[in-house]
Amino acid sequence: MERIRPTRGTHMNSLRLHSAFGLLLRPAAAAPVGVSTAVHGLRAFSATTSSQSAEAAPSPVPKPKTWIPNPTPFVPNVQTFLTLIGRDLKSHASKFPSWDSLFSLTSEQLRELGVEPPRSRRYLLRWRDKFARGEYGIGGDLKYVKGGKAILKLVEKVKSPELRLRYVVNVPEGKEVEDLPLSQQVRAKGFKVRGVDKITGPYVLPLKGGRAAVLKVTEGMWEDKRGHKVDGGERRRAEVRFKRGVAERKARREAQGLY
């Protein structure tokens, strides 16, 4: 039998097949030592950083509670507070069951209770904050108050023949200045002495005999007065004045018999 000799093309194809099978069956080459170590270190660093970030993440800060101030002798309840700040807010006194509710309700809750218009709510919230900070109106710091009345007395101290110190103190009803210890003879803020023995100040009423006066809780004592619109305010002033001028000129012509 004649032996068939492989051709050159057949031999080349056989080599290519062996090479292909060799690549498929060859085990994957291991990564260099340096690269493997770097990858492992990066993964460890990422895991550590993630755990540290989770531990260091700050917990949500709780919302601070509303600060509720204590009533004072001059402002012992809701009715008195709303009466003092004015703007007819005392008509809403029945909507607040307690002192705490007056100082804790939000603007939205006040709206639901019917405190209108919005500027009245803003005004009430502003006075709430002022009172909580100890920023009172006249008489707010007085200590001896009974039935909404505070008695004021004149104190005169002679420092020298040329110098006399006079100031106003708050005393309990029926008491004299001499009945109080010196430590309790604290000046009443916002009041002055005029002339010989006259105590003056906002809403102060003198008592018989001089050297004494009384301060009573009055509606609007602490009210922040609103500005008064002149001729309709800034937006309507030109229109209002123009129409007024037209009416005045028409009236003059009618008086002269020109119409």
Side-chain angles (χ1 to χ4, degrees):
M1 182 182 293
E2 184 180 358
R3 186 178 181 182
I4 301 173
R5 299 181 62 183
T7 61
R8 181 179 180 86
T10 305
H11 179 68
M12 294 297 296
N13 291 336
S14 177
L15 290 176
R16 289 174 182 171
L17 288 174
H18 281 290
S19 300
F21 280 114
L23 291 174
L24 290 175
L25 298 176
R26 182 183 299 173
V33 177
V35 176
S36 177
T37 305
V39 172
H40 178 72
L42 179 60
R43 291 175 179 174
F45 175 77
S46 301
T48 305
T49 305
S50 300
S51 62
Q52 290 179 351
S53 300
E55 295 176 358
S59 57
V61 180
K63 187 177 180 181
K65 295 183 179 180
T66 304
W67 167 249
I68 299 177
N70 294 322
T72 66
F74 197 71
V75 191
N77 50 49
V78 173
Q79 179 73 36
T80 304
F81 179 80
L82 297 179
T83 300
L84 288 171
I85 64 177
R87 298 195 183 180
D88 198 35
L89 285 173
K90 70 175 184 179
S91 61
H92 301 290
S94 60
K95 300 174 182 177
F96 301 97
S98 65
W99 179 267
D100 289 359
S101 66
L102 172 64
F103 282 87
S104 60
L105 293 178
T106 63
S107 179
E108 181 64 22
Q109 291 171 330
L110 293 175
R111 186 184 67 82
E112 293 175 356
L113 289 176
V115 181
E116 296 288 353
R119 66 170 175 264
S120 295
R121 295 196 297 272
R122 292 193 297 268
Y123 179 72
L124 174 58
L125 293 174
R126 185 166 68 249
W127 256 111
R128 276 188 358 184
D129 293 340
K130 291 177 64 176
F131 191 88
R133 294 194 301 267
E135 299 176 10
Y136 310 133
I138 191 71
D141 60 331
L142 298 179
K143 183 177 180 181
Y144 304 108
V145 183
K146 184 177 180 181
K149 298 189 299 183
I151 304 300
L152 306 173
K153 292 291 183 76
L154 170 64
V155 175
E156 184 174 4
K157 293 185 177 181
V158 180
K159 295 293 185 178
S160 66
E162 296 81 14
L163 178 61
R164 291 187 177 185
L165 181 63
R166 296 185 301 173
Y167 55 90
V168 180
V169 298
N170 171 223
V171 299
E173 187 175 1
K175 297 286 186 178
E176 296 296 331
V177 179
E178 293 76 13
D179 299 334
L180 297 177
L182 188 61
S183 59
Q184 298 183 14
Q185 297 181 16
V186 182
R187 294 189 184 189
K189 298 178 181 179
F191 306 99
K192 297 181 180 180
V193 180
R194 296 287 178 88
V196 179
D197 56 5
K198 185 179 180 180
I199 298 175
T200 62
Y203 299 94
V204 169
L205 300 175
L207 296 177
K208 291 182 179 180
R211 304 179 68 86
V214 62
L215 180 71
K216 297 181 179 180
V217 172
T218 307
E219 183 176 1
M221 284 181 67
W222 295 0
E223 182 176 351
D224 297 332
K225 303 297 182 182
R226 289 195 294 258
H228 176 68
K229 288 187 177 180
V230 178
D231 294 339
E234 293 182 0
R235 288 182 291 181
R236 299 183 58 242
R237 185 171 301 162
E239 177 186 356
V240 170
R241 291 180 178 178
F242 173 76
K243 292 181 177 180
R244 182 193 301 161
V246 171
E248 291 175 351
R249 289 192 295 272
K250 183 178 180 180
R252 286 197 299 267
R253 289 175 182 175
E254 289 178 349
Q256 294 172 3
L258 298 179
Y259 282 148

